[in-house]
C-alpha cells in the first residue's frame, strides 16, 4: 500500500512542479507580449534564423563543460546549485530541485547540453539579462539576441501568450502568409507532434525550445538528421 502511494505521489509532484514553473513562464511571456515587440512575420523568417541560433547556442558548450564537474555529460542537482549560485540566480534548494526536474526533459536523471541551453534561456526570461552577463560578459550580447529571438519565435505561434501552443496555431501560422497551396495537414500534424513531447495536445516554451535546438542541429548524442524541421 505504501509503495503504491509513493509511486503515485511522484507523478503528482512532477505535475505540480510543471504547473508552477509553467505559470511563472506564462507571466513572463505575457509581460513580454505586452511590450508589443514582433520579431517575426512568417514561419520562413524563423527557419532562416536556425543557423544563427545554432551558432549562438554553441558558445554555451564551454559553460556547460565548466559546470559538469565530473565530466559525465550531465549536470546533476548539486552541479546545478553551483551553476545558479554563480549566475546569481536566487533560489531555494527546493526551487533548484524543481528547476532541475523541470529541465530534465528526457528524464535521464540529469541535464544534458541541449537541456542546459533551454535552462539558461528560461532563466534569462525569468531573471533578465544579468544571467547572460554572468555566463559570459563577452558573449552576453549574442546570447541575449539568440534567447530573445527564440522566445519571440514561440510568441509568434502562441499569440495569446498563455504558454500553450496548439496544433491549430501551427497550422494557421504556416498558412497565413502563403499565397500558394496550403501546407498539407500531415506536415503540420507531424511538426506539432515533434514539439508536443508529452503528447498532451499543447506545447509549452521548454518543449518548443527543445524542438528548435534539434532543428538547428545542436545535437550532442545521437544523429537526429532525419528530424522534421519547420
Amino acid at each position: 500500500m505504501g509503495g503504491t502511494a509513493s509511486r503515485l505521489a511522484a507523478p503528482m509532484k512532477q505535475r505540480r512542479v510543471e504547473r508552477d514553473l509553467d505559470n511563472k513562464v506564462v507571466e513572463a511571456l505575457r509581460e513580454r507580449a505586452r511590450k508589443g515587440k514582433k520579431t517575426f512575420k512568417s514561419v520562413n523568417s524563423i527557419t532562416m534564423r536556425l543557423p544563427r541560433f545554432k551558432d549562438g547556442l554553441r558558445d554555451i558548450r564551454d559553460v556547460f563543460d565548466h559546470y559538469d564537474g565530473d565530466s559525465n555529460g550531465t549536470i546533476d542537482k548539486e552541479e546545478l546549485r553551483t551553476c545558479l549560485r554563480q549566475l546569481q540566480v536566487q533560489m531555494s534548494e527546493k526551487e533548484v530541485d524543481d528547476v532541475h526536474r523541470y529541465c530534465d526533459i528526457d528524464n535521464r536523471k540529469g541535464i544534458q547540453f541541449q537541456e542546459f541551453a533551454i535552462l539558461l534561456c528560461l532563466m534569462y526570461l525569468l531573471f533578465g539579462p544579468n544571467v547572460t552577463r554572468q555566463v559570459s560578459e563577452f558573449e552576453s550580447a549574442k546570447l541575449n539576441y539568440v534567447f530573445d529571438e527564440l522566445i519571440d519565435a514561440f510568441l509568434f505561434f502562441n499569440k495569446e501568450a498563455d504558454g500553450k501552443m496548439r496544433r491549430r496555431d501551427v497550422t494557421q501560422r504556416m498558412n497565413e502568409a502563403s499565397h500558394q497551396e496550403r501546407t498539407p495537414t500531415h506536415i503540420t500534424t507531424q511538426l506539432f507532434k515533434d514539439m508536443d513531447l508529452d503528447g498532451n495536445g499543447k506545447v509549452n516554451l521548454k518543449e518548443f525550445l527543445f524542438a528548435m535546438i534539434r532543428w538547428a542541429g545542436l545535437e550532442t548524442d545521437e544523429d537526429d538528421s532525419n528530424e522534421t524541421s519547420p
Side-chain angles (χ1 to χ4, degrees):
M1 186 76 171
T4 301
S6 177
R7 287 194 296 273
L8 289 174
M12 288 177 64
K13 182 178 181 180
Q14 175 66 19
R15 287 194 295 271
R16 180 189 56 76
V17 168
E18 290 274 337
R19 184 175 62 251
D20 290 349
L21 282 168
D22 278 341
N23 288 340
K24 291 179 182 179
V25 169
V26 168
E27 288 179 19
L29 288 172
R30 285 178 172 159
E31 178 61 30
R32 189 180 184 91
R34 276 194 287 269
K35 295 178 180 178
K37 179 183 176 184
K38 296 186 184 301
T39 303
F40 299 105
K41 296 182 179 180
S42 69
V43 173
N44 284 342
S45 64
I46 296 174
T47 303
M48 290 174 63
R49 294 291 210 288
L50 290 176
R52 191 177 296 179
F53 295 157
K54 179 179 181 179
D55 180 55
L57 294 173
R58 187 187 289 143
D59 294 332
I60 300 173
R61 164 56 71 178
D62 289 341
V63 182
F64 176 84
D65 290 341
H66 173 73
Y67 290 112
D68 178 19
D70 54 10
S71 300
N72 69 345
T74 65
I75 289 182
D76 60 29
K77 291 179 183 179
E78 202 54 50
E79 290 167 338
L80 181 60
R81 286 191 182 91
T82 300
C83 172
L84 294 178
R85 189 162 53 246
Q86 292 186 14
L87 295 181
Q88 298 184 8
V89 172
Q90 302 298 319
M91 284 187 174
S92 67
E93 288 199 11
K94 178 185 176 301
E95 288 172 329
V96 173
D97 289 347
D98 288 348
V99 166
H100 188 275
R101 189 178 294 110
Y102 185 77
C103 290
D104 183 14
I105 298 170
D106 59 9
N107 295 313
R108 288 163 62 180
K109 304 302 181 185
I111 295 177
Q112 282 78 46
F113 174 59
Q114 291 164 286
E115 295 165 332
F116 183 71
I118 293 167
L119 180 144
L120 289 182
C121 187
L122 293 176
M123 294 300 101
Y124 172 77
L125 173 66
L126 294 173
F127 295 96
N130 190 54
V131 170
T132 52
R133 282 196 293 272
Q134 297 302 323
V135 169
S136 170
E137 187 70 40
F138 180 73
E139 298 291 352
S140 62
K142 182 190 289 187
L143 288 176
N144 289 356
Y145 179 85
V146 170
F147 289 159
D148 280 335
E149 292 216 324
L150 284 168
I151 294 165
D152 287 344
F154 179 77
L155 288 172
F156 170 81
F157 289 101
N158 183 219
K159 290 190 288 186
E160 296 86 356
D162 63 357
K164 300 171 184 176
M165 184 199 306
R166 299 160 179 84
R167 186 163 67 89
R168 67 172 182 268
D169 299 326
V170 176
T171 301
Q172 179 183 349
R173 284 307 214 173
M174 291 193 72
N175 289 308
E176 65 184 5
S178 175
H179 300 293
Q180 303 174 354
E181 285 187 31
R182 289 176 60 84
T183 305
T185 301
H186 73 274
I187 292 179
T188 57
T189 298
Q190 184 60 48
L191 183 63
F192 184 81
K193 184 178 178 181
D194 288 344
M195 293 188 284
D196 186 13
L197 299 179
D198 60 9
N200 71 347
K202 300 169 187 175
V203 173
N204 60 19
L205 178 59
K206 73 168 181 177
E207 291 175 310
F208 177 77
L209 293 173
F210 195 74
M212 290 293 286
I213 288 172
R214 290 203 323 269
W215 292 331
L218 201 69
E219 285 87 32
T220 56
D221 297 317
E222 66 276 1
D223 180 9
D224 292 335
S225 58
N226 292 324
E227 293 285 354
T228 307
S229 62

